[in-house]
Amino acid sequence: MKITDILSQETMILSLKATSKESAIDEMIAKLADEGKINDVSLFKSEIMKREQESSTGIGDGIAMPHAKTKAVNTPTVVFAKSEAGLDYDSLDGQPAHLFFMIAATDGANQTHLETLAALSRLLIHPDFVAKLRNAKTTQEVVDLFDQEQGAAEAEQGVTSHNNEAPFVVAVTACPTGIAHTYMAEDALKNKAKEMGVDIRVETNGSDGAKNKLTADEIERASGVIVAADKKVEMARFDGKHVLETPVSDGIRKPEELINKAIAQEAPVYHHSGEKDSDASDGKQVSIGSRIYKDLMNGISHMLPFVVGGGILLAFSFLLEQYFPQAKTLTDMLGAISGGQTGAFMFLIPILSGFIAMSIADRPGLMPGMVGGLLAATSNAGFLGGLLAGFLAGYVVLGLKVLFSKMPKTLEGLKPILIYPVLGLLITGGLMYLIFDPIFANINTFLVDQLQSLGTANAVILGTVLGGMMAIDMGGPFNKAAYTFAIGVFTTTGNTDGAFMAAVMAGGMVPPLAIAMATSIFKKKFTLDERQAGLTNYVLGLSFITEGAIPFAAADPLRVITSCVLGSAIAGGLTQFWHINVPAPHGGIFVVGLANHAILFLLAILIGTVISGLLYGFWKKEI
């Protein structure tokens, strides 16, 4: 496949009018939309800007390569644009950008398309070719230049031949989307190594997976390892080697510097713990808040299957007990495997704690975290105690790793099988048992007493807030915070009240149902694909799967989120105004029969859905 099959004259702009980065992006996206290459301008732009936030695609030397791989793309396409005056694109070298290549790849881009995009990226490493492009006056001249250069570029692909007398280094290149920077860094390193008389072997970790994978023999023989990556790559194989970790953009801009450092073994020796690779190797600095949120979400995501599986089976056991008292054996079995002291609910807090700790300290954190969570659950310290146990265990094990980092290498094997489990459990368990469990048991008891003594007005306010939070990010931190709070109250009170579960369940069901309603009533305002997606939201909404509304929120965040938050907040507040209880943590429409006021619960959801659906429908613009 030729590059000009995806870079056609119809998608070229030889005189870009834009004077700023975002206006340039908008102008190129408009060209894609005009040619029918994308089906959702908002979604495509959001993916382009998301990539720009990770690091600027203005790679320097006057070139910018904004790119995204998304379902908003109909056909893999490249827009070529030129700005004679140049514009500030936040390029890595601080210089104005003159040449722009906007790459639009489909979610399911086939191997041929991916290889063609890689070939395009490699061409832009050559200064002579870039200079010819800048001087091109017509779209046909641009096409001819690419046709002439592609053959030569393809001939240069592959591995440089090894010379036993020459220095030898290995490298891995990878960018988050794996479309352009991955291959540009590969070619920059290989070209510079050829100039320097250095043998190099480069593995690419692109959209089509790892290519030209490094062998154990090559890694062993190399003087040093270059990992030019903005995403996680396999690191265990580099144990004991001098590894230079750097952003993928450095592979493009500073290949000589990286190769010299690798040859001189100036990078630190990499030591792998024998555990899974952590996210620290992705080349990016992570804020404390982001790190804490990531660790917390790791615990919650592993806990949710226990909530859903145990919660729905527990709901069935309640239904059987209520309507079929003669099925006592089945009811007892469902109750035993889902709740109480023996079932799935018993694991909620230990799993939460264990996987928070594992996110922080890898596998050695799992066991002390789970035991700390179990101590919190059995001592009435509840969810708050469990959260503390997870973070405590994780950072205790991290401290142990630092403390024992200087042990002789011959004793390394003792760490994961003896030192971390014994000392991690002793310190975490001791602190929880002696200090934190009693403290959090008292805090938890106080909070439960306050919640149970709430008057109607305060309960309505809290229900309104919880319901609205379920719709703010539809599965993100606000949604999870509200749901986790309700789960905590549900499991900690020791009864099957479920008042706040009613608020979060109603609030979480409204967004997808409102989207479904709007697409059904205001058909002229939605495309065929959107109306079809709207139909699936009926099922998702009734099943309490809020995430069904996310594609619509991503495409039109202001209207969708505002409308849904309003309806969800009203639905959540109404459940508390009418004193509705749902003694099940999940299930949506399938557990309505358990509600003490089932009709009112359905009415609260219906009112919230109608308000959100009508507001969104009237507010949305015509196609």
Side-chain angles (χ1 to χ4, degrees):
M1 185 176 185
K2 296 195 301 181
I3 290 174
T4 47
D5 288 338
I6 57 174
L7 176 64
S8 62
Q9 295 184 58
E10 291 74 24
T11 55
M12 294 185 188
I13 307 173
L14 293 188
S15 181
L16 199 66
K17 298 181 176 63
T19 57
S20 66
K21 177 176 181 175
E22 186 161 0
S23 60
I25 288 173
D26 288 337
E27 193 171 337
M28 287 184 281
I29 291 176
K31 172 63 74 173
L32 287 169
D34 290 344
E35 296 300 325
K37 304 298 185 181
I38 57 176
N39 56 63
D40 190 327
V41 170
S42 297
L43 176 57
F44 183 74
K45 182 178 179 179
S46 70
E47 291 300 315
I48 287 285
M49 299 309 291
K50 178 180 176 183
R51 176 61 184 89
E52 293 297 327
Q53 288 169 5
E54 291 169 344
S55 65
S56 175
T57 58
I59 60 175
D61 297 324
I63 300 172
M65 295 189 71
H67 54 274
K69 186 172 72 165
T70 168
K71 65 181 181 181
V73 178
N74 295 325
T75 307
T77 308
V78 176
V79 174
F80 169 66
K82 284 203 325 176
S83 171
E84 294 295 338
L87 58 90
D88 183 2
Y89 198 86
D90 298 327
S91 296
L92 298 174
D93 61 359
Q95 299 302 309
H98 293 268
L99 300 182
F100 303 85
F101 296 84
M102 176 170 279
I103 300 174
T106 58
D107 250 350
N110 62 33
Q111 185 68 23
T112 303
H113 284 136
L114 293 172
E115 289 175 355
T116 307
L117 290 172
L120 166 66
S121 304
R122 291 184 174 106
L123 288 181
L124 300 179
I125 291 299
H126 303 287
D128 292 343
F129 177 65
V130 172
K132 292 176 184 177
L133 284 179
R134 289 190 63 171
N135 293 326
K137 302 300 181 185
T138 66
T139 57
Q140 184 60 52
E141 191 176 348
V142 174
V143 169
D144 292 341
L145 280 172
F146 274 102
D147 282 340
Q148 292 165 12
E149 293 289 330
Q150 184 172 8
E154 288 174 348
E156 291 180 6
Q157 289 184 29
V159 182
T160 57
S161 60
H162 293 313
N163 177 352
N164 290 333
E165 301 300 320
F168 177 56
V169 297
V170 295
V172 180
T173 62
C175 81
T177 54
I179 295 174
H181 291 55
T182 300
Y183 305 104
M184 296 181 75
E186 176 201 17
D187 245 34
L189 287 167
K190 286 161 66 173
N191 291 339
K192 184 56 67 175
K194 187 176 181 180
E195 289 179 21
M196 298 169 64
V198 175
D199 278 347
I200 192 169
R201 177 80 155 76
V202 183
E203 173 186 310
T204 57
N205 200 318
S207 293
D208 49 352
K211 296 295 181 184
N212 302 319
K213 289 205 71 171
L214 303 175
T215 66
D217 178 66
E218 289 167 337
I219 294 171
E220 178 64 28
R221 191 161 61 89
S223 301
V225 180
I226 300 168
V227 178
D230 286 338
K231 72 174 190 177
K232 184 177 175 181
V233 298
E234 182 188 347
M235 295 293 292
R237 53 192 167 153
F238 302 135
D239 184 61
K241 302 295 294 185
H242 291 272
V243 179
L244 183 63
E245 295 185 74
T246 186
V248 69
S249 58
D250 284 353
I252 301 171
R253 297 171 54 238
K254 306 175 183 177
E256 185 173 4
E257 177 184 328
L258 298 183
I259 293 170
N260 281 329
K261 286 184 177 181
I263 294 171
Q265 297 187 332
E266 294 181 12
V269 175
Y270 178 78
H271 293 295
H272 193 73
S273 63
E275 303 141 18
K276 69 183 182 72
D277 294 323
S278 70
D279 292 336
S281 63
D282 63 2
K284 294 183 287 185
Q285 294 295 320
V286 181
S287 69
I288 294 175
S290 297
R291 181 77 218 189
I292 291 174
Y293 172 69
K294 172 187 164 294
D295 299 333
L296 179 60
M297 286 301 105
N298 191 60
I300 290 176
S301 65
H302 282 88
M303 179 191 73
L304 281 180
F306 291 83
V307 175
V308 176
I312 290 179
L313 289 181
L314 183 64
F316 280 137
S317 72
F318 290 155
L319 284 171
L320 287 172
E321 186 176 13
Q322 184 173 348
Y323 297 107
F324 301 97
Q326 66 273 20
K328 188 176 185 307
T329 301
L330 182 56
T331 300
D332 290 344
M333 182 195 75
L334 290 174
I337 64 177
S338 60
Q341 297 300 310
T342 58
F345 266 38
M346 175 186 173
F347 293 94
L348 296 188
I349 297 176
I351 290 293
L352 174 73
S353 305
F355 281 94
I356 288 174
M358 186 173 179
S359 178
I360 296 169
D362 293 324
R363 197 161 49 212
L366 179 63
M367 185 273 292
M370 288 190 69
V371 175
L374 184 62
L375 289 172
T378 55
S379 66
N380 201 35
F383 260 65
L384 294 177
L387 289 172
L388 175 70
F391 285 102
L392 176 65
Y395 287 107
V396 163
V397 174
L398 274 188
L400 292 173
K401 288 184 176 184
V402 173
L403 184 63
F404 290 95
S405 61
K406 303 299 182 183
M407 280 183 65
K409 196 165 185 179
T410 54
L411 300 178
E412 283 285 317
L414 291 178
K415 293 180 183 179
I417 65 171
L418 180 63
I419 295 174
Y420 297 153
V422 173
L423 294 182
L425 178 59
L426 177 63
I427 297 172
T428 302
L431 290 173
M432 290 300 298
Y433 184 81
L434 296 174
I435 301 175
F436 296 114
D437 279 348
I439 293 174
F440 277 91
N442 290 330
I443 293 174
N444 199 47
T445 301
F446 173 77
L447 290 176
V448 170
D449 289 343
Q450 294 302 307
L451 288 171
Q452 291 179 329
S453 64
L454 281 177
T456 298
N458 290 331
V460 169
I461 293 172
L462 183 54
T464 301
V465 172
L466 291 174
M469 287 176 68
M470 293 297 291
I472 290 177
D473 49 12
M474 303 174 189
F478 284 98
N479 175 285
K480 289 294 186 289
Y483 185 65
T484 303
F485 172 82
I487 288 287
V489 175
F490 182 80
T491 58
T492 304
T493 54
N495 58 45
T496 57
D497 182 69
F500 296 115
M501 285 311 311
V504 298
M505 198 176 296
M509 293 170 70
V510 164
L513 290 174
I515 294 295
M517 173 187 157
T519 57
S520 297
I521 296 176
F522 302 92
K523 292 184 178 181
K524 293 183 178 180
K525 294 189 175 185
F526 296 91
T527 66
L528 177 61
D529 287 342
E530 288 173 332
R531 293 199 300 272
Q532 290 174 342
L535 292 176
T536 65
N537 271 275
Y538 280 114
V539 178
L540 296 173
L542 293 173
S543 303
F544 184 33
I545 301 176
T546 317
E547 286 82 352
I550 288 177
F552 291 85
D556 193 2
L558 177 63
R559 295 179 180 86
V560 172
I561 294 175
T562 304
S563 304
C564 289
V565 167
L566 181 61
S568 292
I570 290 172
L574 286 174
T575 64
Q576 302 309 292
F577 181 73
W578 289 328
H579 303 287
I580 300 170
N581 301 327
V582 179
H586 212 283
I589 195 70
F590 304 106
V591 296
V592 167
L594 295 175
N596 59 339
H597 302 298
I599 301 300
L600 290 177
F601 182 52
L602 290 173
L603 183 60
I605 296 170
L606 179 62
I607 291 172
T609 298
V610 170
I611 290 172
S612 293
L614 291 178
L615 179 59
Y616 175 47
F618 284 120
W619 195 358
K620 182 175 170 57
K621 293 182 179 179
E622 295 280 355
I623 296 178

